[in-house]
Amino acid sequence: MLTPLIIGNWKMNNGIREAADLVIKLRELLKGVDSVDVVIAPPFTAIYHLSHLTADSPMQLCGQDIFWEKSGAYTGEVSAEMLADAGCRYVILGHSERRQRFGESDATVNKKLLAALRASLKPIVCVGETLEEREAGAAISRVTAQVRASLAGLSGSLVKDVSIAYEPIWAIGTGRTASPQDAEEVHNAIRELIYEMFGTHSARGVRVIYGGSVNAGNIDSLMSQPNVDGALVGGASLKAEEFARIVRFKHAAR
Ligand code: PGA
């Protein structure tokens, strides 16, 4: 079994003071957690400060995006190397909010993926279908096409550090979650594709996590699916007790 990966995606929330308060609460609530990789993705401005507060805790830091160049005349951008320098170990790439609002495409996600690995950041590549695509029966073909294009040109020796987050767009921030069975079906298809692309030996460490209205009430049934290796949590990750309960999901049904 892969080590579960639970990520809190704070999006554009929390200044430095609020971020520190939340992390201090989480440090208490997560004491003793050692069988789950717990990752938080604060806004860029809070990362360096939090790198000190998370040092002796189960939490690792994650960026919400990067640009693919190392440095240069790219006003407003932050590189993978800069995030690693500030204390990040992971980075979220191709979140649907970036795809929908900021012109992110599979091609840009692919460049960012290679840049993240160059800086030893572990990429979390987000994919997901729209409601129209799901209703047209095209969820799996859409998602597998995104995975294929986002991971193009990646060498098999690096794929183990990549995670895929399946986030159906209609489930993000809406309170509507994919049923555990629907999530499992897509996760299984993603895993099969990764095995086909990279071989089971290289790709067996790749984690496929679910995102979209994950909360303390639905995490146990999602994690009970054999191909759900973790969760990407938005809104519920801003509340310390709820996020801690998600991290402490019940393994029993697995
Ligand atoms: P949500 O967001 O949990 O608030 O639906 C998930 C995400 O966008 O990563």
Side-chain angles (χ1 to χ4, degrees):
M1 201 178 103
L2 300 170
T3 305
L5 173 63
I6 305 285
I7 308 182
N9 175 12
W10 293 6
K11 309 191 180 184
M12 199 171 73
N13 294 294
N14 290 335
I16 293 175
R17 186 180 297 267
E18 294 83 18
D21 287 349
L22 181 50
V23 160
I24 288 166
K25 281 190 203 147
L26 284 171
R27 255 190 348 206
E28 281 305 306
L29 294 164
L30 298 176
K31 273 204 173 122
V33 168
D34 60 3
S35 53
V36 176
D37 285 340
V38 186
V39 175
I40 55 171
F44 291 145
T45 47
I47 288 172
Y48 181 64
H49 186 63
L50 296 185
S51 69
H52 302 288
L53 292 175
T54 52
D56 290 318
S57 84
M59 286 174 277
Q60 296 193 313
L61 291 166
C62 178
Q64 297 178 16
D65 189 28
I66 47 167
F67 185 56
W68 54 80
E69 296 291 348
K70 269 190 195 161
S71 61
Y74 304 103
T75 302
E77 296 297 320
V78 171
S79 70
E81 284 75 8
M82 289 168 177
L83 281 192
D85 187 38
C88 286
R89 303 285 304 280
Y90 290 81
V91 64
I92 296 169
L93 298 178
H95 190 280
S96 64
E97 285 151 17
R98 296 216 59 85
R99 291 177 187 264
Q100 290 186 316
R101 293 168 177 264
F102 302 101
E104 196 83 67
S105 67
D106 292 336
T108 59
V109 171
N110 183 243
K111 289 186 176 188
K112 292 178 178 190
L113 173 93
L114 300 175
L117 291 165
R118 177 187 73 208
S120 300
L121 289 180
K122 297 180 181 180
I124 321 289
V125 175
C126 302
V127 295
E129 82 284 359
T130 62
L131 188 57
E132 297 72 52
E133 287 163 342
R134 173 152 287 268
E135 285 172 348
I140 287 184
S141 59
R142 177 78 186 110
V143 165
T144 50
Q146 287 177 318
V147 172
R148 197 181 279 283
S150 302
L151 271 51
L154 177 62
S155 90
S157 61
L158 294 177
V159 71
K160 64 177 190 322
D161 288 332
V162 176
S163 299
I164 308 292
Y166 168 54
E167 298 205 302
I169 292 169
W170 46 271
I172 296 178
T174 57
R176 269 185 80 179
T177 328
S179 71
Q181 295 72 23
D182 285 345
E184 170 63 17
E185 187 188 16
V186 178
H187 283 226
N188 186 48
I190 292 172
R191 193 172 322 273
E192 281 182 1
L193 171 64
I194 305 263
Y195 283 174
E196 178 198 311
M197 288 174 74
F198 299 98
T200 42
H201 182 72
S202 302
R204 71 178 165 216
V206 175
R207 290 178 285 194
V208 185
I209 67 176
Y210 172 80
S213 297
V214 172
N215 58 41
N218 58 30
I219 187 68
D220 296 345
S221 56
L222 286 162
M223 291 305 292
S224 69
Q225 299 299 315
N227 282 295
V228 177
D229 303 319
L232 180 51
V233 186
S237 73
L238 297 170
K239 299 172 226 154
E241 282 78 15
E242 180 153 24
F243 187 61
R245 171 62 183 84
I246 292 169
V247 169
R248 293 179 186 277
F249 69 89
K250 305 277 191 276
H251 291 265
R254 248 184 123 135

